[in-house]
Amino acid sequence: ISISIFPPSNACIGRYILNMQITSCGHTYQRCLGDFYVLFNPWCADDPVYMDNQAHREEYVLNEHGILYEGVHKHITSRPWHFGQFEDGILDICLKILDMGASYHHGSDRDHCWRNDPVHVSMVVNHMICSHTTNSIMKIPENNDYLKGTKPFSWNGSVPILQQWYNGRCRPVRYAYCGSLASVMCTVMRCLGIPSRVVTNFCFPCSIENPLGINEMFDGTGKILCGKDKLWRYHCWNESWMARRDLNQCCGDWQCLDPTPLETGRGLACSGPTWVRSIREGELDLDYDGHHMFSRVNSNYVGWLSQNNASKTKFFCDAWPCGQHLITKSVGSEQFEDITGSYKYELGSVKNKEAYYRAYRRIYPGYCNASNCHIERELSSLKNPFLSDSGISMRLKMANCPMYGEDVQLHWLLENLRNENKSLKFNLCAQIITYSGCPMDQFWKESMNVTLGPREVKKIPLCISYSQYGPYLCDHNIMKVVAVSDPDCGEVLMVSRDIVINRPPVIVKLLSQPRLKVPCTAEISFCNPLQEDMKNCVMTLEGCGLFKEPMTIDLGTLASNQQARTIVEFTPYRLGSHRLLANLGCHKF
């Protein structure tokens, strides 16, 4: 007997049991034929997750390989990620996630009807990633302390994380950061049939008191001081494709879902789903958490000089606006796609201002009847004055692209815009910054007197040696260099630059062509570029369809300039596009 099943487009997703009942000669027999799964179907035009572009379906549903974008907006780095949504057992784990999170919106799961709605399913998954009180999939380290778990940046893919959560009685896996949270969510959503992708936003504000303003405090040496507000260098979240019946949408569109718990005024919470177009239009009453998502791509940066904790002064500086660069992996390509225009109109355009005014009136009820001119005056009074208003132009330009072990070379460019001499004293410093904007050690300080003649342009070379920054960098491969003028000289001028220190590459070379169920070998090589030993070196290998679980190789201690070369053997166990990932960890990173 050949049996075909055609579930309706509004069927609840999940695992079903198929029973057969036969009546013959007055007797009835029942037999279980097995079970089957019903998922969302982006190929079906009647399904709320329908996506009509085949190339997009292949990228956002079928592709198991992704890329995470990190770094800073002027130096974007990338690293591969294995989503692994088709690995054995992952579908059952994803359905277990829905079981564990079923009471999030509905009190109990006696009624499964919500499981045919991708909006409610996405909310449950979003909550379960890191916000569930006891059974969330991952946990974020407190105070950057992850001695009791796995380093957040050492994960290569979602499969080991989901397997560890499932096999560990659904206890949170330690530890995560925003990139791994968004990637695990992307795996779950793709596994359930919902097209999804990971998005990175550079210059991401996290403010508790002022939704549309982010304040950063500096002392007289240029050191960033700890405060309530944090300017994340980047932040990752998830986008999923669905038609929102609750918003009367007849066609699918991207919805923003942020599984990282952030301060929202009602405590730490994840956000979404929020219609991306409503963020661009400033229609904040339309959707879940709209005002939070709008502020995360539209906040204004304000830099302050704190003087003896008694007073504060605004800098003259050219600040990079928050949320001006949002990117994701391109369809069918290893390059990134700039999707900033999906979240906001061009900065300074009429439509951009109209959306901002519309959102401002909803976020600040006291301005609900204010004119556009009134709001614009209020905004102008909060912003930093431009450097050009002081008659000086400054910027820090990279002279090299430093890797671990190399010195950082910069050019400090100054220009006098006036027809008179300028004499200023500057304090310069460098400080380690986490990706989430937490200031760490200040490891370099210097003072310098600068004299500029009328209309003079000067280029001053700066060098920060590895011996100065190396002991402090650790996992945080971002430093901030600041030059701030002495307040005793009059106007306070500031210029800064975030610098990413690249990690040394791990070279992967296949020695034979991978074939199904045929042993294959690969050579993994790495060279220690430091002028010191690298201790506790561990290589982790992972690959969908290549390794059923990650392979760990203990390399011990690598001397300076020592080349480590390892041959590994594996047997591809399923068809598909395979990619071997290698990640090196040591006492330095």
Side-chain angles (χ1 to χ4, degrees), residues 20 41 73 100 110 127 254 321 347 416 430 445 455 484 553:
M20 180 174 68
N41 185 0
H73 69 277
M100 297 296 292
R110 293 175 184 172
H127 173 72
W254 289 114
L347 187 65
N416 185 358
K445 289 193 296 185
R455 303 288 177 177
V484 57
I553 303 172

Side-chain angles (χ1 to χ4, degrees), residues 392-431:
I392 295 285
S393 172
M394 293 192 299
R395 64 190 180 102
L396 292 168
K397 184 178 180 180
M398 296 301 301
N400 69 337
C401 188
M403 188 179 294
Y404 264 86
E406 296 179 348
D407 297 344
V408 176
Q409 307 283 348
L410 301 99
H411 289 145
W412 183 19
L413 306 176
L414 302 97
E415 181 181 1
N416 185 358
L417 305 177
R418 304 272 171 84
N419 293 317
E420 58 189 31
N421 291 330
K422 287 274 188 179
S423 295
L424 294 167
K425 179 183 178 182
F426 283 92
N427 296 318
L428 296 93
C429 81
Q431 184 178 9

Side-chain angles (χ1 to χ4, degrees), residues 62-82:
L62 300 180
N63 194 358
E64 294 186 83
H65 308 297
I67 296 178
L68 299 186
Y69 296 102
E70 301 169 344
V72 298
H73 69 277
K74 289 186 178 180
H75 183 170
I76 297 173
T77 62
S78 63
R79 65 189 190 96
W81 187 272
H82 277 148

